[in-house]
Structure formats: C-alpha cells, structure tokens
Amino acid sequence: MSKDTDLRAAGAAANADAGTEAALTRAALDYHRFPTPGKISVQPTKDMSTQRDLALAYSPGVAAACMAIAHEPDEAYSLTSRGNLVAVITNGTAVLGLGNIGALAGKPVMEGKGCLFKKFAGIDVFDIEIDETDPEKFIETVARLEPTFGGINLEDIKAPECFVIETKLRERMKIPVFHDDQHGTAIVAAAALINALQVVGKPIESATLVCSGAGAAAIACLNILVGLGLKRENILVCDSRGVVSTDRMASLDEQKRAYARDTQAKTLGDAVAGADIFLGVSQGGVLKPEMVASMADKPIILALANPDPEILPALAKQVRPDCLIATGRSDYPNQVNNVLCFPFIFRGALDVGATEINEAMKLAAVRAIANLVHAEQSDVVAAAYGANDLRFGPDYLIPRPFDPRLITTVAPAVAQAAIDSGVAARPFKDIETYRRSLERLVYTSGTVMQPVFAAASEAGAKRIAYAEGEEDRVLRAAQVVVDERLATPVLVGRAETIASKIASLGLRIRIGTDVHVAEISPETGATVQAARLLAAGEVDGMLCGTTGTYPAHLAEVTGTIGLKPGAHGLAAMGLLQLPRHTLFICDPYIHRDPSAAEIADMTVLAAAEMRRFGQTPHVALVASSNFGSVDDPVSRKMQEALALIRAQAPDLEVDGEMSADTALSRTILERLRPDSTLTAETNLLVMPNLEAANITFNALKVVAGQSVSVGPILLGAARPVHILTPTATVRGIVNMTALTAASADVAG
C-alpha cells in the first residue's frame, strides 16, 4: 500500500470518527431538549383532586403535620419526603473530564445522577448547583440545607478542596454526606481487586500496587484498599510530576503526603516494574505495553480513565496474556461503574436513618459487591444476560451494572453495617424482612430492557432481517442498532432505494459494511422473503409488520417458520413498564377466544419469555369474577386453564380466576384470598380473550404517559421472529431488535 493510500485511509477513518462524534453530539442535545427540556421533574405523591384533598395537603390541614414535626423532629421522616430525598450537589469545578466548567454547565450531569438514583433505588433527588468555589462558603451553603434532605451526594468537586468539603460537612451534618467521585469509584474498584487477587492467588497483604493519578478518586481507592489489608509501604503513587516520593514532601498536600515513599523510582515506568497491581485513575494511554510487560506474574490492571483507559485491554493482553484487566467502559468485561454502589449505599443508609456513611458501611458495600459474583446464578439472572456463562473468573470479577440482585444485596449489607456501627437512628431487627421489601424496587426502575440489550450486545452481532427494509422508521432504527452494537441489520428491499433513503435521512450506516440488503423478490412478498431467509439460516432472526395487517403477517410467518417443539400454537404478549412496576399482558393480538388449553399453553410460553427480561413470573388469570364468585363460561374456562397450567408447570406461580383490580392490588388479593399462591405482585396478566387483552394493553400504554412498551412479542415460533404493528416507533423497533437478537443467541 502506498503512502498516499495510507494517508487517504487515515483521513477517511478520521472523518468517520468525526462524523460519529458529531452525530452523537446532535443526538445527545436532542435527547436533552425534547420532548421536554432536561431529564427530571417533580411529581406529587398524593391526589389533589377535591377541595378536601387541598385542605389536607395545604391550609388548614398541613398545620397538623407542621406542629407534629415541631414537637418531634423525627416525625419529618413519616410526614414528609425527607427520608427518601437526596441532594446531588456540585460547584462545577471538576465535571466529568471537562474540568472547571462551572456550576451551571454541570447541571446536566447532576440531573443525570438524579435519574440513576431514582431508576436504580427509588430515591428522589433535587439537583443543586452552587455557584461558589470558596470551600468555606460552599460548606456553609450546603450545611444549611440539612432540614430538607435525608442525604447529600457531592459530585464533580475538584481536589484537594473536595476532601476538606466532605470532611467538614460530615462533621457538621447529622445526615449521610458522600462524595461519589471518591468513594463510589473506590468501592467498586476495591470489589474488583479483591476478586482479581483471588483469581491469581495473591494475598492482598503481600501485593504491591502502583497508582497512576493522585486526585480524589485515586486517594479514596488507596484509602479503602489499605482498610482491606493492602500495606501502605507496598504502594507507589504517580501524579503528573512523577512518583510521589519523600523528596517532594514540601510540595505535597495532606492526602498525597500519606502515600509519599522513600524510593529511587522517578517515573511511572520505573514504579510499575515488578508490581502486582496497576491502578489507573488518571488519563488514557499512560500505561504503555512495555510497562505492562515489566509487571509481575499474572498482573492485575485497573485502567479506569474514561472514555479512554490507561491501556486498552487488547493491547495489555497482547504483551501479557496472563493479565486480568478492568476498565470504566461498558464495551469490555469488568466495568468499574459507580452505579454498582451509590444508589444502594444511599438506599440502605436512608432506610435505617444513618447519620453518616462511615468506613464500615463502605467496606460492607465492597464485600457485598465482590461476593455477588460468587453467588449461584439464578435462572432469572442467567436469562437476563443471555446464554453466556456468568461464572466468577478473569472476565467476571464484579457484577454487571444491571444485575437485579444488587439492591437486595448491597443495600441490606450497608444498612446492617450502619446498625452494627451505631450510626442508625432507625434500626430494624429483621434484615431478611428488609431485604424482601426491597424486591419491589428491582423491576420498577424503568430499565426493563437493559438485560435484553446486554444479552443482544454480547450475542455477537446476530443478523436480523427487516421485512420492511425501505421504511424510514426501520432505517432510523437500523442506525441505532448499529451504533449500539445490538445486531447486524439485513434490510429486505431495493438496494438503490435503500441507499437513496439513507442519504436523504442523513444516516451514517453503510450498505455492505454496517447493514446488508436482501434484494426483494418480485415473486414473493417481503415478509415471506424474510421468513425464508430465517428458515434457511441465512439470518438469525426477523422483524416485520411496520406496514400491513397483523393477521396477514402472522399467516405468512406461520406458514414459513412453523412452531417450536412442544408449542401447540402461536400467541402474543405485550410488555408495559409502568411507573409502579413492569406488567406483561397476553394475548392482545392472536387468539380471539382462546380455549382453556390455549390459555394454558400461552401462559407457559409467556412465563418462559419473561425470564429473558430478568423477571420471575407471578401470573394472574383475569376474568370479571373472583375465584368462582360468578358461574359463567369465561370463569369456568379460566378455572380449567388454571388446573392445566399447574399440571404443565407446577413450579409456576399462578392463581385465578380474578378480576383486574384483584390481580393488580395485593391488598385486595390478600383480603379475598389470603392463601393465594402468588407471593409477590402480579406481573403477568393472562386475559380470557383478545378484546380484553388488546383494550387493556392499549389503554394502559396511553394513560401511563411515558411508560416503556415492548411488543408484540410473538410466542411459540420455531425461530426468533416478531411481528410489529404500524404504530411501532423507532425505539420500539430497536427494543424488538434487541429481543430478537438475544433470542437468536439462545436459539443458536
């Protein structure tokens, strides 16, 4: 290849990268702008629809709550939202990797942090941006907010001021104060390191560590590792000026001074030679391959700089195949992500009224996170993350960020540590009852699709055929699918038309590279052609239905694909992520008046599919009666179906027949049927006919506002295929692509 060709290729690659970055910037700005500016809002928790409601919520009734708190301040936790309200606070002096961009510019990050608190742990947040860089004035401002909040999460404050600010606020305030940039990173990194040391068989007491970076996160990591047994004399720290040594004591702040060593090493390369562990909390690319080659046997590398780690895993493995590596990125194994801890630490702390987050609580979080990867994988977790074998080892040192067990593991450990260390103002006696109470939050987070996306991404770019490959929404969805590495789209249509539309829509996908075209055949319809590709194994899954009628597509799919072994027919299911919980409904599209046997079959199929979303099925067979209260054909049909289901799937939690309000309200269910076999809130409604299912699904989808809906999900087909509807959105097509790809991985 000539030099000119090399330059042209390099220029093309640079242009492609620039185009990708520009597209991401546009998408991010649109995401924040539309349909409503920003990412958070405030919603009342009480109805205020009548004059009496107003009288209770405000004047004169609110005076009763005020006086109760005046007499007994702890009543604020039962009469107001304080016990579930956290302030996410910054002054904007160290925002992400952007530096000191100011408090106002840091607001999008604080809103984002608030979303994570709510999504993962059900915690409400006010984001507060304080335009003040003087530490003492900042401390004074935050300290005066104590009556409002149950906890304070400090964020994006530069070192060394952040150390002073957190220390003084912890001294002054009687609520938890936690600088997540320091401690969140430290807790997750420590969990990864504990497990990595176990894999390589090295005790922490004798391990040697070199740290690149000496900011807030780095110092916090080192402090917590020392607390876990790493010897301070076995640590070398490097900052931008080289090794932190006793020769530089006069220029070091208090935090760095604690890690200054009497050493001849001057550079990172000097320090890392022979080291067991590299901890990077600095900047991309500083750890060179020759440095990794000089490390001890089975070196452990935590390269946590984002978005570019100190060394890429492939580069490290190239020179040291025996290394274990973790990064801060989601596209590599062992992602060290703060979201593994901070929502659950605050959840546990708030629930016992902790007055602080102390070292015992942090260490409890470390051990809980580390131990979670050793726990037996439930079928729910395994299904949520696809067919990959999630077993403790070099590529599975810490849990995945969306592991549904985190909240029921980390929060109770933190709460118990708060009780044991004497900082819990509202301790409880039964940790197991508390753990079970947290299960309600596991799937109310709005992240119901995330396990499916993770499984699709790990499935290896499965080939998914789109019957309507020329349709604008499909092409836009294909761009997202490619960007998120969910699958390789195969577009059924005319290549010339598809290429023209890609250009007119301003998309970046390239035919032959990112997507492929299956030229439409004039002899067959697009759905039949896509189905034939699937039946022949030329693609791994297919989607159709964005135009045309559902029954027409169903007939073509059924005739070409057929049924999976053991299935007696096809059925459909819809998913709704409602504000309170996730709900599956079947069958809203296929069976107009299913028999008891068909209801039993679709229920078993639906329960199996739910596990792909990480859901444990709790099934209600719905009618207009409750447990035989009315003797009519529908009630008898659902009772017969119940008996068949229990015979086919004796381990499945199912009860019925029952009315919809009974199914969706534990209070009503426990009153009418105290001995119900349902141990948790219903998450699968099986309807007696298509009209009931379709009306319920579509009504809930609209009245729930911005809820996530997924479907229709086709059940019982021999190969991964789903039929959409003409109202499917781009996001809906992307969601179904992820589900199809994840299913294809299991089927394959």
Side-chain angles (χ1 to χ4, degrees):
M1 184 180 288
S2 70
K3 184 177 181 180
D4 286 345
T5 304
D6 286 341
L7 290 172
R8 282 196 298 272
N15 288 336
D17 289 343
T20 300
E21 186 66 28
L24 179 62
T25 298
R26 287 196 302 271
L29 293 175
D30 286 347
Y31 178 87
H32 283 79
R33 278 195 183 103
F34 306 111
T36 302
K39 299 189 289 285
I40 58 175
S41 66
V42 177
Q43 294 287 336
T45 61
K46 302 290 194 298
D47 288 333
M48 284 183 279
S49 54
T50 68
Q51 185 64 41
R52 178 169 174 76
D53 291 339
L54 293 176
L56 295 173
Y58 198 54
S59 182
V62 73
C66 294
M67 292 309 298
I69 294 170
H71 290 306
E72 178 50 66
D74 279 353
E75 285 287 358
Y77 289 101
S78 63
L79 294 172
T80 76
S81 62
R82 186 188 185 215
N84 195 52
L85 185 62
V86 167
V88 175
I89 302 180
T90 191
N91 63 2
T93 53
V95 179
L96 302 177
L98 305 173
N100 186 356
I101 60 174
L104 182 59
K107 186 174 177 64
V109 180
M110 302 308 108
E111 286 190 356
K113 197 64 174 280
C115 292
L116 296 179
F117 268 108
K118 187 66 174 180
K119 293 290 187 183
F120 285 96
I123 295 171
D124 294 319
V125 164
F126 288 162
D127 67 289
I128 297 178
E129 295 74 35
I130 299 175
D131 189 14
E132 181 57 70
T133 57
D134 181 275
E136 291 303 324
K137 293 179 180 178
F138 183 89
I139 290 165
E140 193 64 35
T141 302
V142 175
R144 293 180 184 278
L145 298 174
E146 184 168 348
T148 304
F149 298 102
I152 303 291
N153 184 100
L154 300 173
E155 196 81 15
D156 291 352
I157 302 169
K158 72 182 180 72
E161 289 93 330
C162 61
F163 300 112
V164 175
I165 288 169
E166 186 190 36
T167 299
K168 291 193 175 182
L169 286 174
R170 288 183 62 184
E171 291 171 353
R172 287 186 57 172
M173 304 179 82
K174 299 303 180 185
I175 58 175
V177 177
F178 186 80
H179 186 206
D180 185 50
D181 294 334
Q182 295 179 56
H183 307 299
T185 300
I187 287 166
V188 182
L193 183 55
I194 285 175
N195 282 335
L197 286 168
Q198 184 174 337
V199 170
V200 300
K202 296 181 181 181
I204 192 170
E205 294 80 8
S206 61
T208 57
L209 180 147
V210 172
C211 179
S212 174
I219 297 298
C221 286
L222 297 175
N223 289 344
I224 205 164
L225 291 173
V226 169
L228 289 165
L230 183 67
K231 294 190 182 303
R232 199 178 290 267
E233 59 265 27
N234 289 347
I235 299 171
L236 282 176
V237 177
C238 298
D239 62 11
S240 59
R241 295 178 56 195
V243 174
V244 175
S245 68
T246 52
D247 295 339
R248 298 171 49 197
M249 290 294 278
S251 64
L252 300 177
D253 60 46
E254 181 181 350
Q255 286 71 34
K256 289 184 184 181
R257 216 174 276 138
Y259 289 98
R261 288 272 310 282
D262 183 7
T263 176
Q264 297 300 310
K266 300 298 182 184
T267 67
L268 178 60
D270 297 338
V272 83
D276 295 304
I277 304 161
F278 171 83
L279 171 63
V281 199
S282 53
Q283 60 185 16
V286 298
L287 185 65
K288 306 302 181 185
E290 58 270 23
M291 297 180 189
V292 175
S294 75
M295 292 181 71
D297 182 51
K298 297 180 182 177
I300 297 167
I301 300 169
L302 277 65
L304 307 183
N306 250 330
D308 299 315
E310 284 78 1
I311 189 168
L312 291 170
L315 205 54
K317 291 279 188 181
Q318 192 174 43
V319 294
R320 289 300 297 270
D322 61 337
C323 75
L324 275 66
I325 187 163
T327 72
R329 287 173 51 151
S330 61
D331 51 348
Y332 295 114
N334 303 321
Q335 184 192 13
V336 175
N337 190 325
N338 290 17
V339 81
L340 286 171
C341 72
F342 74 80
F344 317 118
I345 288 174
F346 270 95
R347 182 74 278 160
L350 292 173
D351 288 342
V352 295
T355 56
E356 65 177 359
I357 295 174
N358 59 24
E359 292 306 306
M361 294 161 73
K362 295 173 196 172
L363 293 176
V366 171
R367 295 187 178 103
I369 294 167
N371 289 340
L372 192 53
V373 298
H374 297 273
E376 180 181 352
Q377 292 288 341
S378 70
D379 59 341
V380 172
V381 175
Y385 284 95
N388 290 349
D389 193 4
L390 292 179
R391 284 192 292 187
F392 173 61
D395 289 335
Y396 187 46
L397 299 173
I398 46 177
R400 307 296 177 88
F402 292 90
D403 191 318
R405 301 168 300 170
L406 281 163
I407 192 166
T408 56
T409 302
V410 180
V414 170
Q416 189 65 61
I419 294 169
D420 294 343
S421 61
V423 298
R426 298 188 300 279
F428 47 73
K429 294 181 180 179
D430 186 357
I431 193 73
E432 285 306 315
T433 299
Y434 173 60
R435 190 189 312 279
R436 287 194 296 272
S437 75
L438 294 172
E439 291 178 357
R440 77 190 190 280
L441 296 171
V442 172
Y443 296 108
T444 61
S445 65
T447 57
V448 66
M449 281 301 299
Q450 189 57 43
V452 177
F453 273 74
S457 181
E458 293 170 8
K462 296 293 183 181
R463 299 158 300 171
I464 305 301
Y466 298 80
E468 294 87 24
E470 298 178 0
E471 216 269 337
D472 286 5
R473 285 170 296 162
V474 170
L475 291 171
R476 292 185 187 279
Q479 180 68 70
V480 178
V481 167
V482 169
D483 288 344
E484 298 189 11
R485 303 177 185 175
L486 299 176
T488 299
V490 178
L491 306 168
V492 177
R494 296 161 294 178
E496 186 178 342
T497 301
I498 291 172
S500 175
K501 286 205 167 190
I502 288 173
S504 66
L505 292 171
L507 303 177
R508 291 167 286 107
I509 47 176
R510 296 162 295 172
I511 295 175
T513 302
D514 303 313
V515 302
H516 301 283
V517 173
E519 280 287 346
I520 193 163
S521 170
E523 291 82 21
T524 62
T527 297
V528 171
Q529 184 170 342
R532 287 179 178 175
L533 290 173
L534 180 57
E538 295 182 36
V539 296
D540 302 298
M542 68 165 281
L543 293 172
C544 61
T546 55
T547 61
T549 67
Y550 195 96
H553 288 287
L554 181 66
E556 292 175 331
V557 165
T558 304
T560 309
I561 301 299
L563 303 176
K564 68 169 57 176
H568 299 96
L570 297 176
M573 174 172 69
L575 178 159
L576 287 171
Q577 176 64 66
L578 302 172
R580 194 164 59 90
H581 69 309
T582 301
L583 189 64
F584 293 78
I585 299 174
C586 68
D587 171 359
Y589 287 99
I590 295 177
H591 291 285
R592 186 157 295 281
D593 187 16
S595 66
E598 288 172 327
I599 288 172
D601 285 346
M602 76 170 71
T603 301
V604 173
L605 288 169
E609 188 67 25
M610 286 175 66
R611 292 186 173 91
R612 197 175 309 287
F613 293 86
Q615 301 273 325
T616 299
H618 306 286
V619 189
L621 303 183
V622 181
S624 59
S625 56
N626 281 304
F627 311 109
S629 62
V630 175
D631 184 16
D632 62 20
V634 171
S635 299
R636 290 194 296 272
K637 178 174 73 171
M638 301 308 274
Q639 292 164 14
E640 183 182 346
L642 178 63
L644 292 171
I645 294 166
R646 287 177 171 168
Q648 290 180 38
D651 294 332
L652 181 61
E653 276 196 23
V654 56
D655 208 350
E657 89 292 5
M658 65 183 82
S659 60
D661 57 343
T662 303
L664 296 174
S665 169
R666 288 292 298 175
T667 302
I668 297 175
L669 177 61
E670 289 169 1
R671 185 174 71 244
L672 294 178
R673 197 175 181 89
D675 59 346
S676 174
T677 54
L678 297 181
T679 63
E681 200 164 26
T682 298
N683 54 10
L684 172 59
L685 301 180
V686 180
M687 299 294 189
N689 53 52
L690 184 148
E691 281 77 11
N694 190 277
I695 291 169
T696 301
F697 181 78
N698 285 305
L700 286 175
K701 182 170 65 174
V702 172
V703 299
Q706 296 183 7
S707 66
V708 175
S709 65
V710 180
I713 301 166
L714 191 63
L715 307 172
R719 300 295 303 276
V721 53
H722 297 288
I723 304 169
L724 306 174
T725 65
T727 60
T729 63
V730 170
R731 176 46 58 178
I733 298 169
V734 171
N735 286 343
M736 292 305 295
T737 301
L739 180 60
T740 308
S743 304
D745 193 40
V746 174

